[in-house]
Amino acid sequence: MNRIKCVIAIILCSFYFVSRGQTSVSWETNLKKAVEKAKSENKLVFVNFVAEGLAPSVQFARQIGESQELAQYFESRFVRVLVDISKDQQVARQFQIQGLPTLLFLDSRGKEIKRLLGGVTPEHIIYWAQVLTGEKPSVDMLWEQYRQDKDNLALMGQILREMPIYSLGLTSRADAEKWQDRVEKLFQTYWNTKPREEMINEKDFGIIVLYCQKWEEKNDPVEFVIKHYEEYAKIIPAQMLISYLASYVNTLVNNLAMAGDLAYKQVLARLQGDLKPIFDVVQTKSLPVEYLMTSKADALYTLFREKDQEKYIQLQRDYLEKMGDLAGKEDYQNAAMNLLVKMQNKLTRESATQALLWLDKLISFPMEVSEKAVFVASMGDCYLTLENKQKAKECFNQAFMMSLQSQDPQLQAYFQQKVAALSDEE
């Protein structure tokens, strides 16, 4: 279900919901009193859990609280409660809160009826609120209707469009896998059944974006969009259309190169053919997009297929030199991490030395502390290749200290193991 929960799914939702500004939402702070109020007013309860010391959860609560759409819908239907688990640990234990953000829908007796995890949008919250109040059929209900009417294209399209929202409410892995299989088959049925001339519209473009994430040469729906690019350009926002197609082609090229498939060159040749109208619109801050894509793909093919570290390094040096000051975080990250991940124990001393230079430049860019910790630890791996255990240990210790700020126990444990392994060797 990962593809359904990807960023494109969030973009897709913008097709169906429109922001109406911001306002302030009032929150109860006592769950017991909120349940009593809900019972007396015949409402449901909506609970948002936060922790005062955890800034992201507080920021998320603020964003939810500023949604005018949410406020208008919830006003007559829900009692809203904000629970700070750092102050009310009993409630956190009662509902087994494992992480934040966590949102709960409760009935008027205080019994949980739905749980949402992660940074969902107000639109996703309203969707589930409508389902729980009976104002909207759930995807489960739509699926049962579809089983009785399997030729209903409108019903298929509705299920496919609502799946990204519905999927964010799935907490069971078994349910996620079940729906993944269902909707993939449903999309194929929809694509094979619906007349092509009826596919050139906003909603069906959204469906193609969502369900065509397999980066393969012969992807008929994507090729259909490319063939009818000018027609789609009249109805789809330019940024959304170009972003999807350019990203798709770029990822396809890179995946083919990493797979050692020279077909990536055939795709690149299309930049001067049927893909030209699309990539002519793509704006870059530095070099032509064709050069950028070709340089990256050639380097990936050299590393992953030919396993030629020296040639890979030279290609990346040439690329970064041409980019100059315009080379960004992603450029240095790709150059270093592709090399380290692919070669691992086969990394040469020359490669380790070069990777250190790229990583040193990389960590100078703004980034989350947890991300920076990973790159600092990667520097430690390079020093191990160079047989400098002291510097390696310093890097692993530094990464561990950074991980303490990130409040990520798995990351902390990983860096602790790194440090312990070196200490055991001494």
Side-chain angles (χ1 to χ4, degrees):
M1 191 58 66
N2 288 340
R3 290 200 300 277
I4 294 178
K5 294 185 177 181
C6 68
V7 175
I8 293 178
I10 305 301
I11 295 174
L12 177 62
C13 293
S14 66
F15 281 114
Y16 315 112
F17 299 98
V18 179
S19 174
R20 302 189 181 92
Q22 294 183 336
T23 186
S24 179
V25 175
S26 60
W27 297 85
E28 300 286 342
T29 56
N30 186 296
L31 181 58
K32 183 177 180 181
K33 291 182 179 179
V35 171
E36 292 173 353
K37 182 179 179 181
K39 186 175 183 180
S40 65
E41 297 179 3
N42 193 28
K43 294 181 178 179
L44 299 178
V45 181
F46 173 68
V47 190
N48 186 3
F49 289 91
V50 298
E52 185 176 350
L54 195 59
S57 73
V58 176
Q59 182 181 5
F60 174 72
R62 186 181 300 114
Q63 292 170 349
I64 295 299
E66 290 175 348
S67 168
Q68 183 177 359
E69 188 176 30
L70 199 67
Q72 290 175 346
Y73 182 80
F74 273 39
E75 182 63 33
S76 61
R77 300 170 179 86
F78 290 84
V79 176
R80 297 174 290 265
V81 192
L82 196 64
V83 176
D84 187 340
I85 62 173
S86 62
K87 298 177 180 178
D88 198 339
Q89 297 181 6
Q90 181 179 350
V91 173
R93 288 193 296 269
Q94 177 186 347
F95 289 99
Q96 299 180 345
I97 303 304
Q98 303 290 328
L100 299 174
T102 294
L103 307 172
L104 297 185
F105 289 97
L106 312 178
D107 63 19
S108 58
R109 297 171 298 171
K111 182 179 179 181
E112 179 181 337
I113 52 178
K114 189 64 191 176
R115 176 177 299 226
L116 299 179
L117 305 175
V120 295
T121 67
E123 290 78 16
H124 290 100
I125 297 170
I126 290 173
Y127 168 83
W128 278 104
Q130 291 174 326
V131 168
L132 295 173
T133 57
E135 296 177 31
K136 185 181 187 72
S138 69
V139 171
D140 287 291
M141 295 178 182
L142 293 174
W143 185 261
E144 289 305 313
Q145 294 177 33
Y146 165 69
R147 291 178 64 184
Q148 303 301 318
D149 188 8
K150 292 200 172 184
D151 294 325
N152 192 325
L153 283 169
L155 194 55
M156 291 185 209
Q158 185 178 358
I159 294 171
L160 291 170
R161 290 193 301 274
E162 293 189 7
M163 196 61 218
I165 303 176
Y166 179 83
S167 66
L168 288 176
L170 298 176
T171 55
S172 162
R173 181 175 179 179
D175 283 344
E177 291 176 350
K178 175 184 71 176
W179 278 106
Q180 178 74 48
D181 183 62
R182 279 180 176 178
V183 295
E184 286 185 353
K185 291 178 180 177
L186 183 64
F187 172 74
Q188 286 303 317
T189 300
Y190 186 74
W191 172 254
N192 293 334
T193 305
K194 188 162 186 178
R196 293 292 177 267
E197 64 271 15
E198 297 180 13
M199 292 293 294
I200 305 176
N201 60 75
E202 198 174 76
K203 290 183 178 180
D204 282 323
F205 172 75
I207 290 174
I208 290 173
V209 168
L210 181 60
Y211 296 97
C212 291
Q213 297 301 308
K214 292 182 179 179
W215 318 104
E216 54 192 8
E217 289 182 271
K218 297 179 180 179
N219 193 316
D220 290 340
V222 178
E223 291 297 331
F224 177 81
V225 175
I226 292 172
K227 182 179 180 180
H228 296 274
Y229 168 72
E230 292 184 1
E231 295 165 80
Y232 276 106
K234 295 176 182 178
I235 57 175
I236 305 298
Q239 184 177 3
M240 185 173 294
L241 179 61
I242 299 298
S243 176
Y244 171 66
L245 292 176
S247 175
Y248 183 93
V249 173
N250 183 59
T251 305
L252 172 60
V253 167
N254 290 339
N255 283 1
L256 288 171
M258 286 190 289
D261 189 340
L262 285 171
Y264 82 87
K265 292 184 178 291
Q266 297 171 15
V267 180
L268 287 170
R270 293 176 63 186
L271 298 183
Q272 295 302 321
D274 62 337
L275 295 176
K276 192 175 190 303
I278 299 167
F279 282 89
D280 277 350
V281 184
V282 176
Q283 300 293 319
T284 61
K285 295 180 180 179
S286 53
L287 303 165
V289 65
E290 186 173 0
Y291 168 79
L292 297 175
M293 290 177 64
T294 301
S295 295
K296 292 177 181 179
D298 287 345
L300 290 172
Y301 182 85
T302 296
L303 179 65
F304 284 81
R305 175 63 176 179
E306 300 176 345
K307 299 180 177 59
D308 189 333
Q309 297 183 51
E310 183 179 354
K311 184 179 177 182
Y312 170 81
I313 288 173
Q314 189 57 55
L315 287 171
Q316 289 288 12
R317 281 175 178 167
D318 291 345
Y319 168 77
L320 292 169
E321 183 179 345
K322 284 185 173 68
M323 288 287 287
D325 293 338
L326 291 173
K329 172 179 175 288
E330 184 179 352
D331 296 305
Y332 286 100
Q333 179 176 333
N334 288 339
M337 298 308 292
N338 283 332
L339 180 60
L340 296 179
V341 170
K342 176 60 181 175
M343 302 317 298
Q344 295 184 5
N345 296 332
K346 297 180 181 179
L347 196 70
T348 65
R349 293 180 64 88
E350 293 74 14
S351 294
T353 300
Q354 179 59 70
L356 277 170
L357 296 175
W358 287 335
L359 288 166
D360 186 59
K361 179 67 177 179
L362 172 59
I363 62 176
S364 68
F365 290 94
M367 64 183 73
E368 295 290 334
V369 65
S370 57
E371 187 179 16
K372 190 172 184 177
V374 171
F375 299 139
V376 170
S378 295
M379 295 178 75
D381 291 330
C382 291
Y383 280 119
L384 285 180
T385 298
L386 297 173
E387 299 179 353
N388 189 335
K389 293 184 179 180
Q390 181 59 38
K391 290 291 291 184
K393 190 172 184 179
E394 289 175 10
C395 289
F396 295 147
N397 273 317
Q398 183 182 356
F400 173 69
M401 296 304 295
M402 290 178 175
S403 69
L404 294 177
Q405 300 176 48
S406 71
Q407 299 183 347
D408 185 334
Q410 291 184 332
L411 205 58
Q412 294 166 20
Y414 174 72
F415 295 141
Q416 273 186 315
Q417 291 173 3
K418 288 274 196 181
V419 175
L422 279 181
S423 298
D424 292 342
E425 293 177 9
E426 294 177 352

